[in-house]
PDB file of all heavy atoms in Angstrom:
ATOM      1  N   LEU A   1     123.057 151.445 119.400  1.00  0.00           N
ATOM      2  CA  LEU A   1     124.193 151.707 118.590  1.00  0.00           C
ATOM      3  C   LEU A   1     124.863 150.322 118.196  1.00  0.00           C
ATOM      4  O   LEU A   1     124.962 149.448 119.091  1.00  0.00           O
ATOM      5  CB  LEU A   1     125.228 152.554 119.294  1.00  0.00           C
ATOM      6  CG  LEU A   1     124.786 153.952 119.626  1.00  0.00           C
ATOM      7  CD1 LEU A   1     125.781 154.600 120.614  1.00  0.00           C
ATOM      8  CD2 LEU A   1     124.630 154.853 118.403  1.00  0.00           C
ATOM      9  N   GLU A   2     125.301 150.216 116.985  1.00  0.00           N
ATOM     10  CA  GLU A   2     125.966 149.004 116.531  1.00  0.00           C
ATOM     11  C   GLU A   2     127.417 149.091 116.983  1.00  0.00           C
ATOM     12  O   GLU A   2     128.064 150.136 116.911  1.00  0.00           O
ATOM     13  CB  GLU A   2     125.910 148.932 114.999  1.00  0.00           C
ATOM     14  CG  GLU A   2     126.475 147.656 114.494  1.00  0.00           C
ATOM     15  CD  GLU A   2     126.404 147.667 112.935  1.00  0.00           C
ATOM     16  OE1 GLU A   2     125.397 148.221 112.373  1.00  0.00           O
ATOM     17  OE2 GLU A   2     127.305 147.063 112.308  1.00  0.00           O
ATOM     18  N   HIS A   3     127.935 147.961 117.485  1.00  0.00           N
ATOM     19  CA  HIS A   3     129.370 147.925 117.895  1.00  0.00           C
ATOM     20  C   HIS A   3     130.201 147.868 116.658  1.00  0.00           C
ATOM     21  O   HIS A   3     129.947 147.154 115.687  1.00  0.00           O
ATOM     22  CB  HIS A   3     129.635 146.701 118.747  1.00  0.00           C
ATOM     23  CG  HIS A   3     131.080 146.506 119.072  1.00  0.00           C
ATOM     24  ND1 HIS A   3     131.929 145.656 118.358  1.00  0.00           N
ATOM     25  CD2 HIS A   3     131.841 147.063 120.028  1.00  0.00           C
ATOM     26  CE1 HIS A   3     133.118 145.731 118.873  1.00  0.00           C
ATOM     27  NE2 HIS A   3     133.075 146.587 119.892  1.00  0.00           N
ATOM     28  N   ASP A   4     131.324 148.682 116.662  1.00  0.00           N
ATOM     29  CA  ASP A   4     132.259 148.648 115.556  1.00  0.00           C
ATOM     30  C   ASP A   4     133.604 148.427 116.142  1.00  0.00           C
ATOM     31  O   ASP A   4     134.128 149.216 116.953  1.00  0.00           O
ATOM     32  CB  ASP A   4     132.202 149.944 114.766  1.00  0.00           C
ATOM     33  CG  ASP A   4     133.092 149.892 113.547  1.00  0.00           C
ATOM     34  OD1 ASP A   4     132.607 149.477 112.446  1.00  0.00           O
ATOM     35  OD2 ASP A   4     134.298 150.253 113.655  1.00  0.00           O
ATOM     36  N   ARG A   5     134.310 147.391 115.712  1.00  0.00           N
ATOM     37  CA  ARG A   5     135.585 146.949 116.198  1.00  0.00           C
ATOM     38  C   ARG A   5     136.608 148.001 115.918  1.00  0.00           C
ATOM     39  O   ARG A   5     137.501 148.317 116.758  1.00  0.00           O
ATOM     40  CB  ARG A   5     135.989 145.611 115.523  1.00  0.00           C
ATOM     41  CG  ARG A   5     137.329 145.105 115.977  1.00  0.00           C
ATOM     42  CD  ARG A   5     137.265 144.424 117.363  1.00  0.00           C
ATOM     43  NE  ARG A   5     137.933 145.232 118.313  1.00  0.00           N
ATOM     44  CZ  ARG A   5     137.758 145.256 119.577  1.00  0.00           C
ATOM     45  NH1 ARG A   5     136.766 144.479 120.114  1.00  0.00           N
ATOM     46  NH2 ARG A   5     138.433 145.986 120.426  1.00  0.00           N
ATOM     47  N   ARG A   6     136.595 148.708 114.787  1.00  0.00           N
ATOM     48  CA  ARG A   6     137.532 149.757 114.432  1.00  0.00           C
ATOM     49  C   ARG A   6     137.418 150.905 115.402  1.00  0.00           C
ATOM     50  O   ARG A   6     138.470 151.431 115.860  1.00  0.00           O
ATOM     51  CB  ARG A   6     137.399 150.184 113.042  1.00  0.00           C
ATOM     52  CG  ARG A   6     137.664 149.070 112.009  1.00  0.00           C
ATOM     53  CD  ARG A   6     137.252 149.467 110.597  1.00  0.00           C
ATOM     54  NE  ARG A   6     135.780 149.728 110.580  1.00  0.00           N
ATOM     55  CZ  ARG A   6     135.184 150.321 109.582  1.00  0.00           C
ATOM     56  NH1 ARG A   6     135.813 150.617 108.443  1.00  0.00           N
ATOM     57  NH2 ARG A   6     133.908 150.523 109.667  1.00  0.00           N
ATOM     58  N   LEU A   7     136.229 151.257 115.779  1.00  0.00           N
ATOM     59  CA  LEU A   7     136.042 152.325 116.782  1.00  0.00           C
ATOM     60  C   LEU A   7     136.553 151.913 118.116  1.00  0.00           C
ATOM     61  O   LEU A   7     137.153 152.715 118.850  1.00  0.00           O
ATOM     62  CB  LEU A   7     134.569 152.795 116.826  1.00  0.00           C
ATOM     63  CG  LEU A   7     134.022 153.487 115.585  1.00  0.00           C
ATOM     64  CD1 LEU A   7     132.474 153.670 115.765  1.00  0.00           C
ATOM     65  CD2 LEU A   7     134.662 154.768 115.354  1.00  0.00           C
ATOM     66  N   ALA A   8     136.287 150.632 118.501  1.00  0.00           N
ATOM     67  CA  ALA A   8     136.756 150.170 119.747  1.00  0.00           C
ATOM     68  C   ALA A   8     138.306 150.144 119.767  1.00  0.00           C
ATOM     69  O   ALA A   8     138.944 150.493 120.802  1.00  0.00           O
ATOM     70  CB  ALA A   8     136.236 148.721 120.055  1.00  0.00           C
ATOM     71  N   ASP A   9     138.927 149.807 118.636  1.00  0.00           N
ATOM     72  CA  ASP A   9     140.373 149.824 118.580  1.00  0.00           C
ATOM     73  C   ASP A   9     140.963 151.230 118.692  1.00  0.00           C
ATOM     74  O   ASP A   9     141.978 151.456 119.344  1.00  0.00           O
ATOM     75  CB  ASP A   9     140.873 149.207 117.274  1.00  0.00           C
ATOM     76  CG  ASP A   9     140.681 147.693 117.250  1.00  0.00           C
ATOM     77  OD1 ASP A   9     140.422 147.047 118.310  1.00  0.00           O
ATOM     78  OD2 ASP A   9     140.690 147.066 116.155  1.00  0.00           O
ATOM     79  N   ALA A  10     140.273 152.202 118.066  1.00  0.00           N
ATOM     80  CA  ALA A  10     140.651 153.615 118.199  1.00  0.00           C
ATOM     81  C   ALA A  10     140.510 154.109 119.679  1.00  0.00           C
ATOM     82  O   ALA A  10     141.378 154.775 120.157  1.00  0.00           O
ATOM     83  CB  ALA A  10     139.865 154.516 117.261  1.00  0.00           C
ATOM     84  N   ALA A  11     139.437 153.689 120.309  1.00  0.00           N
ATOM     85  CA  ALA A  11     139.236 154.030 121.696  1.00  0.00           C
ATOM     86  C   ALA A  11     140.342 153.337 122.545  1.00  0.00           C
ATOM     87  O   ALA A  11     140.900 153.963 123.504  1.00  0.00           O
ATOM     88  CB  ALA A  11     137.865 153.552 122.190  1.00  0.00           C
ATOM     89  N   SER A  12     140.676 152.129 122.235  1.00  0.00           N
ATOM     90  CA  SER A  12     141.728 151.440 122.957  1.00  0.00           C
ATOM     91  C   SER A  12     143.097 152.118 122.808  1.00  0.00           C
ATOM     92  O   SER A  12     143.882 152.211 123.766  1.00  0.00           O
ATOM     93  CB  SER A  12     141.857 149.976 122.444  1.00  0.00           C
ATOM     94  OG  SER A  12     142.865 149.312 123.132  1.00  0.00           O
ATOM     95  N   ASP A  13     143.353 152.630 121.610  1.00  0.00           N
ATOM     96  CA  ASP A  13     144.605 153.399 121.437  1.00  0.00           C
ATOM     97  C   ASP A  13     144.689 154.564 122.375  1.00  0.00           C
ATOM     98  O   ASP A  13     145.755 154.802 122.955  1.00  0.00           O
ATOM     99  CB  ASP A  13     144.713 153.891 119.940  1.00  0.00           C
ATOM    100  CG  ASP A  13     144.845 152.785 118.895  1.00  0.00           C
ATOM    101  OD1 ASP A  13     145.221 151.702 119.288  1.00  0.00           O
ATOM    102  OD2 ASP A  13     144.593 153.140 117.753  1.00  0.00           O
ATOM    103  N   HIS A  14     143.589 155.238 122.612  1.00  0.00           N
ATOM    104  CA  HIS A  14     143.611 156.374 123.486  1.00  0.00           C
ATOM    105  C   HIS A  14     143.658 155.907 124.991  1.00  0.00           C
ATOM    106  O   HIS A  14     144.397 156.575 125.752  1.00  0.00           O
ATOM    107  CB  HIS A  14     142.333 157.216 123.301  1.00  0.00           C
ATOM    108  CG  HIS A  14     142.450 158.592 123.743  1.00  0.00           C
ATOM    109  ND1 HIS A  14     143.501 159.428 123.405  1.00  0.00           N
ATOM    110  CD2 HIS A  14     141.631 159.403 124.533  1.00  0.00           C
ATOM    111  CE1 HIS A  14     143.329 160.663 123.892  1.00  0.00           C
ATOM    112  NE2 HIS A  14     142.199 160.617 124.614  1.00  0.00           N
ATOM    113  N   VAL A  15     143.044 154.815 125.351  1.00  0.00           N
ATOM    114  CA  VAL A  15     143.099 154.255 126.668  1.00  0.00           C
ATOM    115  C   VAL A  15     144.575 153.904 126.982  1.00  0.00           C
ATOM    116  O   VAL A  15     145.089 154.255 128.048  1.00  0.00           O
ATOM    117  CB  VAL A  15     142.218 153.010 126.834  1.00  0.00           C
ATOM    118  CG1 VAL A  15     142.525 152.227 128.078  1.00  0.00           C
ATOM    119  CG2 VAL A  15     140.746 153.406 126.794  1.00  0.00           C
ATOM    120  N   VAL A  16     145.220 153.220 126.082  1.00  0.00           N
ATOM    121  CA  VAL A  16     146.631 152.813 126.272  1.00  0.00           C
ATOM    122  C   VAL A  16     147.541 154.017 126.421  1.00  0.00           C
ATOM    123  O   VAL A  16     148.367 154.112 127.352  1.00  0.00           O
ATOM    124  CB  VAL A  16     147.087 151.863 125.163  1.00  0.00           C
ATOM    125  CG1 VAL A  16     148.617 151.670 125.270  1.00  0.00           C
ATOM    126  CG2 VAL A  16     146.386 150.548 125.221  1.00  0.00           C
ATOM    127  N   ALA A  17     147.395 155.042 125.524  1.00  0.00           N
ATOM    128  CA  ALA A  17     148.212 156.179 125.567  1.00  0.00           C
ATOM    129  C   ALA A  17     148.034 157.000 126.812  1.00  0.00           C
ATOM    130  O   ALA A  17     149.095 157.336 127.490  1.00  0.00           O
ATOM    131  CB  ALA A  17     147.968 157.069 124.354  1.00  0.00           C
ATOM    132  N   GLN A  18     146.861 157.212 127.231  1.00  0.00           N
ATOM    133  CA  GLN A  18     146.607 158.024 128.449  1.00  0.00           C
ATOM    134  C   GLN A  18     146.800 157.219 129.719  1.00  0.00           C
ATOM    135  O   GLN A  18     147.274 157.796 130.696  1.00  0.00           O
ATOM    136  CB  GLN A  18     145.188 158.619 128.436  1.00  0.00           C
ATOM    137  CG  GLN A  18     145.075 159.750 127.480  1.00  0.00           C
ATOM    138  CD  GLN A  18     143.877 160.625 127.797  1.00  0.00           C
ATOM    139  OE1 GLN A  18     142.954 160.218 128.473  1.00  0.00           O
ATOM    140  NE2 GLN A  18     143.843 161.857 127.285  1.00  0.00           N
ATOM    141  N   GLY A  19     146.476 155.979 129.652  1.00  0.00           N
ATOM    142  CA  GLY A  19     146.582 155.135 130.864  1.00  0.00           C
ATOM    143  C   GLY A  19     147.961 155.077 131.452  1.00  0.00           C
ATOM    144  O   GLY A  19     148.132 155.221 132.643  1.00  0.00           O
ATOM    145  N   ARG A  20     148.918 155.009 130.627  1.00  0.00           N
ATOM    146  CA  ARG A  20     150.335 154.886 131.075  1.00  0.00           C
ATOM    147  C   ARG A  20     150.929 156.214 131.466  1.00  0.00           C
ATOM    148  O   ARG A  20     151.850 156.256 132.201  1.00  0.00           O
ATOM    149  CB  ARG A  20     151.162 154.100 130.111  1.00  0.00           C
ATOM    150  CG  ARG A  20     151.360 154.789 128.791  1.00  0.00           C
ATOM    151  CD  ARG A  20     152.364 153.994 127.906  1.00  0.00           C
ATOM    152  NE  ARG A  20     152.323 154.546 126.564  1.00  0.00           N
ATOM    153  CZ  ARG A  20     151.970 153.841 125.500  1.00  0.00           C
ATOM    154  NH1 ARG A  20     151.678 152.552 125.595  1.00  0.00           N
ATOM    155  NH2 ARG A  20     151.943 154.392 124.339  1.00  0.00           N
ATOM    156  N   THR A  21     150.440 157.320 130.839  1.00  0.00           N
ATOM    157  CA  THR A  21     150.987 158.639 131.130  1.00  0.00           C
ATOM    158  C   THR A  21     150.315 159.400 132.262  1.00  0.00           C
ATOM    159  O   THR A  21     150.819 160.371 132.744  1.00  0.00           O
ATOM    160  CB  THR A  21     151.038 159.546 129.889  1.00  0.00           C
ATOM    161  OG1 THR A  21     149.646 159.767 129.457  1.00  0.00           O
ATOM    162  CG2 THR A  21     151.786 158.829 128.730  1.00  0.00           C
ATOM    163  N   GLY A  22     148.972 159.094 132.423  1.00  0.00           N
ATOM    164  CA  GLY A  22     148.190 159.833 133.394  1.00  0.00           C
ATOM    165  C   GLY A  22     147.550 161.000 132.793  1.00  0.00           C
ATOM    166  O   GLY A  22     146.866 161.821 133.526  1.00  0.00           O
ATOM    167  N   GLU A  23     147.661 161.222 131.501  1.00  0.00           N
ATOM    168  CA  GLU A  23     147.106 162.372 130.848  1.00  0.00           C
ATOM    169  C   GLU A  23     145.555 162.271 130.917  1.00  0.00           C
ATOM    170  O   GLU A  23     144.971 161.140 131.079  1.00  0.00           O
ATOM    171  CB  GLU A  23     147.493 162.491 129.365  1.00  0.00           C
ATOM    172  CG  GLU A  23     148.960 162.828 129.241  1.00  0.00           C
ATOM    173  CD  GLU A  23     149.399 162.867 127.773  1.00  0.00           C
ATOM    174  OE1 GLU A  23     148.646 163.460 126.948  1.00  0.00           O
ATOM    175  OE2 GLU A  23     150.428 162.245 127.500  1.00  0.00           O
ATOM    176  N   ILE A  24     144.888 163.358 130.667  1.00  0.00           N
ATOM    177  CA  ILE A  24     143.406 163.374 130.551  1.00  0.00           C
ATOM    178  C   ILE A  24     143.067 164.203 129.313  1.00  0.00           C
ATOM    179  O   ILE A  24     143.871 164.981 128.804  1.00  0.00           O
ATOM    180  CB  ILE A  24     142.744 163.912 131.821  1.00  0.00           C
ATOM    181  CG1 ILE A  24     143.177 165.416 132.081  1.00  0.00           C
ATOM    182  CG2 ILE A  24     142.997 163.030 132.996  1.00  0.00           C
ATOM    183  CD1 ILE A  24     142.358 166.072 133.167  1.00  0.00           C
ATOM    184  N   GLY A  25     141.825 164.050 128.853  1.00  0.00           N
ATOM    185  CA  GLY A  25     141.286 164.824 127.761  1.00  0.00           C
ATOM    186  C   GLY A  25     141.292 164.055 126.458  1.00  0.00           C
ATOM    187  O   GLY A  25     141.722 162.855 126.380  1.00  0.00           O
ATOM    188  N   HIS A  26     140.873 164.712 125.415  1.00  0.00           N
ATOM    189  CA  HIS A  26     140.775 164.166 124.073  1.00  0.00           C
ATOM    190  C   HIS A  26     141.997 164.313 123.231  1.00  0.00           C
ATOM    191  O   HIS A  26     142.044 163.796 122.084  1.00  0.00           O
ATOM    192  CB  HIS A  26     139.501 164.779 123.404  1.00  0.00           C
ATOM    193  CG  HIS A  26     138.300 164.565 124.118  1.00  0.00           C
ATOM    194  ND1 HIS A  26     137.584 163.371 124.153  1.00  0.00           N
ATOM    195  CD2 HIS A  26     137.623 165.379 124.979  1.00  0.00           C
ATOM    196  CE1 HIS A  26     136.541 163.495 124.928  1.00  0.00           C
ATOM    197  NE2 HIS A  26     136.539 164.670 125.465  1.00  0.00           N
ATOM    198  N   GLY A  27     143.012 165.001 123.644  1.00  0.00           N
ATOM    199  CA  GLY A  27     144.189 165.231 122.888  1.00  0.00           C
ATOM    200  C   GLY A  27     144.146 166.522 122.131  1.00  0.00           C
ATOM    201  O   GLY A  27     143.189 167.272 122.219  1.00  0.00           O
ATOM    202  N   ALA A  28     145.096 166.750 121.242  1.00  0.00           N
ATOM    203  CA  ALA A  28     145.178 167.975 120.484  1.00  0.00           C
ATOM    204  C   ALA A  28     144.024 167.990 119.511  1.00  0.00           C
ATOM    205  O   ALA A  28     143.493 166.909 119.143  1.00  0.00           O
ATOM    206  CB  ALA A  28     146.518 168.041 119.740  1.00  0.00           C
ATOM    207  N   PRO A  29     143.588 169.178 119.013  1.00  0.00           N
ATOM    208  CA  PRO A  29     142.576 169.242 118.027  1.00  0.00           C
ATOM    209  C   PRO A  29     142.873 168.296 116.860  1.00  0.00           C
ATOM    210  O   PRO A  29     144.002 168.226 116.363  1.00  0.00           O
ATOM    211  CB  PRO A  29     142.600 170.683 117.578  1.00  0.00           C
ATOM    212  CG  PRO A  29     143.088 171.443 118.762  1.00  0.00           C
ATOM    213  CD  PRO A  29     144.131 170.486 119.410  1.00  0.00           C
ATOM    214  N   GLY A  30     141.889 167.526 116.463  1.00  0.00           N
ATOM    215  CA  GLY A  30     142.113 166.588 115.329  1.00  0.00           C
ATOM    216  C   GLY A  30     142.558 165.219 115.788  1.00  0.00           C
ATOM    217  O   GLY A  30     142.674 164.323 114.918  1.00  0.00           O
TER     218      GLY A  30
END
């Protein structure tokens, strides 16, 4: 798979959001 910085940034957004709250999962649909 080719690395894409935008996808990594989107993944990072989720890491930051869940990391500080302790939540798990992919979030709400969509």
Side-chain angles (χ1 to χ4, degrees):
L1 296 168
E2 183 181 329
H3 175 263
D4 186 89
R5 180 78 249 155
R6 297 169 300 170
L7 292 174
D9 289 343
S12 180
D13 292 343
H14 203 51
V15 166
V16 170
Q18 285 198 341
R20 67 174 167 241
T21 65
E23 292 178 47
I24 60 170
H26 301 281

